[in-house]
């Protein structure tokens, strides 16, 4: 069966068509600027040149229609008709406490996702728009929702409760949810498979280090703690997000800079993190260039980032009472040799024997520790689209 994987944002839509039999990507693409002037679709059929369609797209329904047209087009299409798309798998950011697994989408499920809108106001409404647009264009095709939060629903109370009045949990469900769940699940399972074990028999720490970054403690195949919280702002320092800070800083900055609460939150989300510290960029590649040019704050930003990664690794080793494997994934985790080196330099206390030579790779499944290391260090490229397509097929079985 061919599964269309959709990741819909407020003005963008990413897609991949995956043949679930052999897990081959038949085509992928990106629609940008939906509802804004300059809408365009970039469609890449596997093994062929990309094509661009630049045309006004007033809404997501029009965008989905153009994606389907591209997929079935005589010249650059990859299937003959829409009937060859067996299912659609939708990435949904927040499933609250309702969704512990992926689920077939029906009206009740849509209503329940909508109830989580408060918890992810930037993401969930856009995800819903994408689902509705697909339903209108493909009314008979089964659709599955795959949640970023679902994998973390196995966290125990001690991990998800904040030290706040309990009534906020009762009234508003204020608690840790965690994100990047699809990636943490995929990567932990693949890491176990790669070392010839079962995730069910292991203690694994997955460091998903991208623009957004989070770390998860995966014990016996289940998430038992993670760094992101009610929202993706908590935990590690990220590209532009502050990660965890003293909450009192919010009021302090608001007063000093004469800012409103939303303005301070905007700074914490968009102007902080490695961009904020380095004053250069949220992209680690730019930091590496700056490092070569001897710019001090670039090194400081990278050091602070690595230091927070190390702190959470230590915390999760304690929470699991040990660790068998530490895994690096996502843009920075897979590709940034310096950051991995900086992090691993701290891990000797675990009997983690870092192999600098083996670490000298980008984006490839690799063991980066010596054969005698007590803890295995790995790079495992994440593949959220493939994970969503697998989930979609499993749910429909
Ligand atoms: P997102 O959270 O947006 O999915 P990514 O996982 O793509 O983010 O991570 C983006 C970060 O990964 C950037 O800081 C970038 O420097 C880094 N990155 C991505 N690809 C590469 C690469 N090929 N080489 C070095 N760094 C990379």
């Amino acid at each position: 069966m061919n599964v269309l994987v959709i990741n819909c944002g407020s003005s963008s839509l990413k897609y991949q068509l995956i043949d679930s039999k052999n897990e081959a990507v038949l085509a992928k693409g990106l629609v940008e600027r939906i509802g804004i002037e300059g809408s365009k679709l970039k469609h890449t059929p596997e093994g062929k040149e990309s094509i661009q369609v630049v045309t006004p797209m007033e809404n997501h329904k029009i965008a989905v229609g153009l994606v389907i047209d591209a997929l079935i087009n005589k010249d650059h299409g990859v299937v003959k008709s829409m009937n060859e798309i067996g299912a659609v798998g939708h990435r949904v950011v927040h499933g609250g406490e309702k969704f512990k697994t992926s689920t077939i989408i029906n009206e009740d499920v849509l209503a329940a996702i909508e109830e989580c809108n408060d918890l992810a106001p930037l993401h969930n409404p856009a995800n819903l728009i994408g689902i509705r647009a697909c339903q209108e264009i493909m009314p008979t095709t089964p659709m599955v929702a795959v949640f970023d939060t679902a994998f973390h629903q196995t966290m125990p109370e001690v991990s998800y409760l904040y030290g706040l009045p309990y009534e906020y949990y009762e009234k508003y469900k204020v608690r840790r949810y965690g994100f990047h769940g699809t990636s943490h699940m995929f990567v932990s399972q693949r890491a176990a498979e790669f070392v010839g074990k079962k995730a069910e028999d292991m203690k694994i720490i997955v460091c998903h280090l991208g623009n957004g970054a989070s770390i998860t403690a995966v014990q016996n195949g289940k998430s038992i703690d993670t760094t992101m919280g009610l929202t993706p702002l908590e935990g590690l320092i990220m590209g532009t997000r502050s990660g965890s800070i003293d909450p009192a800083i919010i009021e302090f900055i608001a007063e000093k800079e004469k800012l409103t609460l939303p303005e301070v939150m905007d700074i914490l989300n968009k102007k902080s993190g490695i961009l904020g510290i380095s004053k250069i960029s949220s992209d680690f590649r730019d930091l590496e260039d700056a490092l070569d040019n001897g710019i001090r704050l670039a090194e400081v930003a990278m050091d602070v980032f690595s230091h927070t990664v190390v702190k959470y690794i230590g915390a999760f080793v304690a929470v699991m009472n040990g660790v068998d494997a530490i895994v690096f994934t996502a843009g920075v985790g897979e590709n940034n040799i310096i950051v991995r080196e900086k992090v691993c330099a701290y891990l000797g206390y675990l009997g983690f024997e870092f192999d600098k030579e083996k670490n000298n790779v980008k984006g490839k499944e690799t063991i980066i520790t010596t054969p005698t290391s007590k803890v295995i260090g790995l790079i495992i490229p994440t593949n959220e689209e493939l994970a969503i397509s697998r989930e979609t097929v499993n749910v429909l079985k």
Side-chain angles (χ1 to χ4, degrees):
M1 171 168 74
N2 296 324
V3 179
L4 179 59
V5 175
I6 298 274
N7 182 354
C8 189
S10 57
S11 67
S12 70
L13 189 155
K14 283 191 221 156
Y15 64 92
Q16 281 196 11
L17 187 66
I18 296 176
D19 180 349
S20 66
K21 257 191 260 125
N22 55 9
E23 302 198 324
V25 177
L26 304 177
K28 59 176 137 185
L30 169 67
V31 188
E32 287 176 291
R33 303 182 66 83
I34 301 167
I36 315 172
E37 208 184 327
S39 320
K40 61 178 181 211
L41 160 75
K42 185 181 175 197
H43 172 78
T44 314
E46 180 53 28
K48 290 191 196 160
E49 292 276 297
S50 302
I51 59 126
Q52 283 234 27
V53 182
V54 182
T55 178
M57 294 180 218
E58 221 173 276
N59 55 46
H60 286 73
K61 187 178 166 192
I62 295 172
V64 172
L66 287 167
V67 169
I68 302 294
D69 286 349
L71 289 169
I72 65 178
N73 184 283
K74 261 204 227 106
D75 299 324
H76 49 261
V78 290
V79 288
K80 288 198 190 72
S81 78
M82 209 158 73
N83 297 336
E84 290 181 33
I85 301 172
V88 184
H90 291 271
R91 176 189 183 210
V92 180
V93 167
H94 219 305
E97 285 189 326
K98 284 225 171 71
F99 296 106
K100 301 188 189 319
T101 54
S102 306
T103 182
I104 296 183
I105 297 172
N106 57 31
E107 278 308 310
D108 289 344
V109 166
L110 287 177
I113 294 174
E114 203 167 343
E115 279 175 30
C116 301
N117 278 3
D118 260 7
L119 296 169
L122 295 178
H123 295 100
N124 268 32
N127 299 154
L128 280 166
I129 288 170
I131 294 171
R132 296 229 187 255
C134 287
Q135 283 179 325
E136 282 184 55
I137 305 270
M138 297 176 266
T140 57
T141 310
M143 315 239 162
V144 170
V146 181
F147 300 92
D148 274 21
T149 49
F151 182 60
H152 299 299
Q153 278 296 305
T154 47
M155 274 191 293
E157 204 174 40
V158 287
S159 303
Y160 71 68
L161 276 187
Y162 289 117
L164 290 170
Y166 194 73
E167 62 180 286
Y168 298 152
Y169 172 59
E170 292 171 314
K171 283 203 279 192
Y172 313 118
K173 294 285 174 226
V174 173
R175 50 158 285 178
R176 176 182 313 289
Y177 290 96
F179 298 86
H180 294 137
T182 312
S183 174
H184 288 294
M185 177 177 73
F186 177 87
V187 169
S188 55
Q189 284 169 359
R190 179 63 199 143
E193 199 176 79
F194 192 67
V195 298
K197 292 187 179 169
K198 285 188 179 152
E200 287 71 25
D201 301 328
M202 293 182 78
K203 294 172 179 174
I204 302 173
I205 293 175
V206 180
C207 306
H208 177 113
L209 312 179
N211 210 3
S214 69
I215 301 187
T216 297
V218 185
Q219 186 164 3
N220 306 126
K222 291 184 174 149
S223 166
I224 63 152
D225 208 344
T226 192
T227 56
M228 283 179 168
L230 174 76
T231 75
L233 184 56
E234 193 184 345
L236 300 171
I237 286 174
M238 310 183 207
T240 63
R241 291 180 216 148
S242 65
S244 293
I245 57 166
D246 178 348
I249 292 172
I250 294 172
E251 188 187 23
F252 186 85
I253 296 294
E255 278 183 7
K256 291 280 180 204
E257 296 269 315
K258 306 275 175 284
L259 296 173
T260 63
L261 208 50
E263 283 167 341
V264 178
M265 293 315 292
D266 199 58
I267 290 169
L268 297 188
N269 273 302
K270 297 186 185 149
K271 296 186 181 145
S272 302
I274 64 149
L275 166 69
I277 296 178
S278 70
K279 300 185 179 181
I280 294 170
S281 169
S282 63
D283 193 304
F284 277 79
R285 283 168 286 203
D286 298 334
L287 288 199
E288 280 184 86
D289 293 343
L291 222 61
D292 293 340
N293 295 323
I295 298 175
R296 192 185 89 87
L297 284 183
E299 177 127 42
V300 173
M302 232 183 225
D303 284 344
V304 177
F305 176 82
S306 307
H307 185 86
T308 48
V309 172
V310 167
K311 277 213 288 200
Y312 283 111
I313 290 175
F316 289 165
V317 171
V319 161
M320 293 196 288
N321 189 20
V323 62
D324 300 308
I326 297 173
V327 191
F328 293 90
T329 193
V332 178
E334 291 165 28
N335 299 299
N336 198 302
I337 295 164
I338 302 175
V339 166
R340 283 197 307 262
E341 199 175 309
K342 281 182 188 287
V343 170
C344 293
Y346 286 86
L347 302 180
Y349 73 99
L350 293 170
F352 184 103
E353 290 174 12
F354 182 57
D355 187 325
K356 208 171 158 178
E357 289 290 302
K358 287 187 190 154
N359 182 52
N360 206 10
V361 293
K362 289 187 175 195
K364 200 172 143 250
E365 287 187 343
T366 315
I367 292 178
I368 55 170
T369 39
T370 66
T372 53
S373 181
K374 281 200 194 126
V375 177
I376 303 174
L378 295 128
I379 303 167
I380 299 286
T382 192
N383 191 337
E384 286 169 284
E385 290 78 14
L386 178 58
I388 291 173
S389 124
R390 283 183 187 168
E391 284 286 295
T392 302
V393 172
N394 285 341
V395 166
L396 293 174
K397 266 186 202 155

